[in-house]
Amino acid sequence: MTVTTLTADEARRIALRAQGLLGAPDRRGGVRGVLRHLGAVQLDTISVLARSHELIPYARLGAVGRPAVEAAYWGGGTSFEYWSHAACVLPVEEWPLFAFRRRAYRARGNLWGHQVTPRTYRGVLDKLRAEGPLTSTELGGAKRTAEWWDWSDTKIAVERALAFGDVVCTERRSWKRVYELAERAVPAELFGRDPDDHECLRTLVAQSGAALGVATRTDLADYHRLKAEQVDSALADSGLVAVRVAGWGPQGAPADAWADPAALAAEPRGRHRTTLLSPFDSLVWDRARTERIFGMAHRLEAYTPRHKRVHGYFAMPLLAGGRLVGRVDPAREGRVLVARQISLEAPKYAEPLARALREAADWVGCDGVRVEALADESLRPALEKLLGD
């Protein structure tokens, strides 16, 4: 059988289109359409311009209203939160597909701290059954002490119930998970489905391949944090096709990969999105893949000591013309978007940078943009003129 060989440039454009960043955005599908297409949107506590799960649809759809983003995720019965690539919002249609992980967690039993008694576990479920959706605080308290890691027995119990699938989180209030019995929150036709592990893995590998467009075995495993042997067991039945990608292997050699057949059916065309990307965006959350496709070694430095940071606390890659061409570390001071630190690959990217900064400022309700540090200070006059126009 002849195996298709893709150039690195072809693979890059396929990946961009698969992630919704090349071609016309699906505005009719909106935020829920983005979530269904990507299959997972990562959550994170950091909020600079906005929280990461808001930045994902913004990057693809433009300045969609932030209340509309929240409404699309929470409380409508169309999504739930679970462990995928990390803690992620997932389309509710994927509830059956994580049965393999719920079974594995249940088999392990002792998760997240010391063991809790069966009575405590049952008590959490009984309270939810009697009182409806509740936060861990409303269930009896999230912590035993002020330490962030010192969870109460109630918190441990409800998090285990979440992992096991007895409860589900379909909403957050003030960034706190709201727990509900899964049997009440998940639509009956989905709750009653219990596919075996192979069916779960086969479908998740296929979904990952569609969301990535073209991917190595490691890429496919990383998307929903599957084990390599789980991917191997599912690839033959996934519907993905084997390809080779030039430049993806060691020292620029070709590498084995798999592609979504739909991604190979038509050449990627259309408008490239110009935008700032969350470091947790699924286009760039896999650092090795990002470096392989875009040539950018990007790392989140939020947890790096300040004096050791290179690009800033929450440096956001700048996507323009289908390439990652710079970084911006943003902040907000009142109604001003502050670019604390900017680096660009070349002066020609000052115009798309200014466009991305102005659009981001408008989206979060800022009236202006202020640039603090530029890696190349010679760009300041031109950039400030572009920002002022």
Side-chain angles (χ1 to χ4, degrees), residues 8 10 29 38 54 101 121 159 175 198 286 292 342 351 360 387:
E10 288 171 331
L38 296 179
E54 298 176 272
R101 186 158 286 165
Y121 192 90
E159 285 294 325
W175 201 242
H198 181 74
D286 183 337
R292 186 189 331 126
I342 293 175
E351 191 280 328
L387 289 170

Side-chain angles (χ1 to χ4, degrees), residues 70-102:
E70 293 300 314
Y73 287 139
W74 310 122
T78 58
S79 62
F80 70 107
E81 181 182 334
Y82 199 63
W83 299 104
S84 165
H85 181 81
C88 290
V89 183
L90 305 166
V92 73
E93 293 84 0
E94 290 184 13
W95 170 265
L97 304 183
F98 285 85
F100 83 100
R101 186 158 286 165
R102 294 192 290 269

Side-chain angles (χ1 to χ4, degrees), residues 22 37 81 143 153 158 162 207 217 230 240 252-253 257 265-266 282 288 293 309 319 321 328 330 342 352 363 365 374:
L22 171 60
H37 181 74
E81 181 182 334
K143 300 176 185 177
D153 284 3
V158 76
L162 181 74
Q207 188 273 325
R217 170 176 171 263
Q230 291 175 319
L240 302 179
S282 48
I293 295 178
R309 292 174 190 157
L319 178 69
V328 176
I342 293 175
W363 179 56
L374 273 165

Side-chain angles (χ1 to χ4, degrees), residues 34-57:
V34 169
L35 176 60
R36 286 192 297 270
H37 181 74
L38 296 179
V41 168
Q42 186 172 343
L43 296 162
D44 194 79
T45 58
I46 297 173
S47 181
V48 179
L49 287 180
R51 290 200 188 274
S52 185
H53 66 278
E54 298 176 272
L55 293 166
I56 307 309

Side-chain angles (χ1 to χ4, degrees), residues 32-33 44 54 59 61 72 105 111 127 154 157 159 164 196 200 235 270 277 293 296 310 326 332 345 374 389:
R32 288 177 182 169
D44 194 79
E54 298 176 272
L61 301 175
Y105 280 140
L111 300 172
K127 190 173 179 67
T154 298
E159 285 294 325
F164 298 166
D196 63 24
C200 294
L235 263 173
L277 295 170
I293 295 178
M296 176 180 279
V310 177
R332 292 175 64 185
E345 296 295 318
L374 273 165
D389 288 345

Side-chain angles (χ1 to χ4, degrees), residues 25-36 57 60-61 64 72:
D26 180 14
R27 298 195 185 282
R28 293 185 64 184
V31 177
R32 288 177 182 169
V34 169
L35 176 60
R36 286 192 297 270
R60 288 151 179 83
L61 301 175
V64 58

Side-chain angles (χ1 to χ4, degrees), residues 260-346:
D260 175 25
L264 300 177
E267 185 174 346
R269 297 180 183 278
R271 181 178 65 86
H272 284 288
R273 181 87 172 103
T274 297
T275 190
L276 297 175
L277 295 170
S278 164
F280 303 110
D281 192 297
S282 48
L283 182 71
V284 297
W285 66 18
D286 183 337
R287 308 313 186 203
R289 177 178 168 87
T290 300
E291 189 164 0
R292 186 189 331 126
I293 295 178
F294 297 104
M296 176 180 279
H298 186 68
R299 302 290 183 270
L300 176 68
E301 297 180 332
Y303 306 107
T304 301
R306 184 187 298 268
H307 68 281
K308 293 184 178 181
R309 292 174 190 157
V310 177
H311 297 288
Y313 175 79
F314 195 74
M316 300 177 69
L318 171 64
L319 178 69
R323 301 182 186 277
L324 300 182
V325 299
R327 297 174 175 88
V328 176
D329 183 32
R332 292 175 64 185
E333 293 181 3
R335 294 184 64 86
V336 177
L337 188 158
V338 181
R340 296 200 182 282
Q341 191 171 335
I342 293 175
S343 59
L344 289 178
E345 296 295 318

